[in-house]
Amino acid sequence: ETPSVGTAGQDAADDPAIWAGAAPVVIGGVSTRGFVAGTDKKAGLYIYGLDGAVLQFLPEGLLNNVDLTEGLAVDGRPQVVLGASDRTPGKTGVALYLFDPAGDAGVRPWGRIATDVVEPYGFCFARRGAEVHAILVGHEGEVRQFLLTADAAGAPHAREVRRFDIGTISEGCAADEATNALYLAEENVGVWRYGLDPAEGAARVLVQGMATDVLVADAEGLTIIADGAARYLIGSSQGDSAFPVWRIDGGAPVYK
């Protein structure tokens, strides 16, 4: 459990992402086996130790959802890349950060992905083989999928590879390379499964609509975990303060 975020009494603590390494790393002078990145959606990004203690705070503005991934090298060094949907006026898009597991500089700003989305809301990374994709969900259901790379100077470069509309207010986003699936939560409708391949466009299947004791509006955050060969999608059912779970490694998601 972490302390409360600095913005008190304003529903400010929002989305987390967790990273664990094979060996201890140093953040803020503290040795830790990993960290939790969590947004204060009215102030910036917190980095917590796995014990919940604050290791770092980046006062980056109105960050809503955060995710992280491995798979990019910057200046010849493998990095953990963090991204967060940024609603700060004049900076709307995706804020990007780097963490060097072999260094001691902590999480540091890297750059941003500009977008035409008026209010960035949901965000997740996806891996497609050697590629890293960044997927932004706008408040009104706009989706933008980018291929993210580092250029010769070590700066981020994003190329849009797909755009489509979910329909209404949406936020939750989780990608599963193993099953070529992109899961998106439309807050008052349900959870959708899209193909992760940009060539699949806007084709989709409804995984779960609103249903008592299963998914109660608002449907918000989504994440995926693996347990051996089994893979699970975990959702956030805000209306009844529950976390529905689906097994997703078969032909179709199965509610558990």
Side-chain angles (χ1 to χ4, degrees), residues 172-192:
C173 175
D176 185 33
E177 179 187 12
T179 56
N180 185 43
L182 172 63
Y183 295 95
L184 298 171
E186 190 173 2
E187 290 193 0
N188 295 302
V189 176
V191 176
W192 296 96

Side-chain angles (χ1 to χ4, degrees), residues 21 45 59 140 179 189 234 243:
L45 183 66
E140 301 307 311
T179 56
V189 176
I234 303 175
F243 298 97

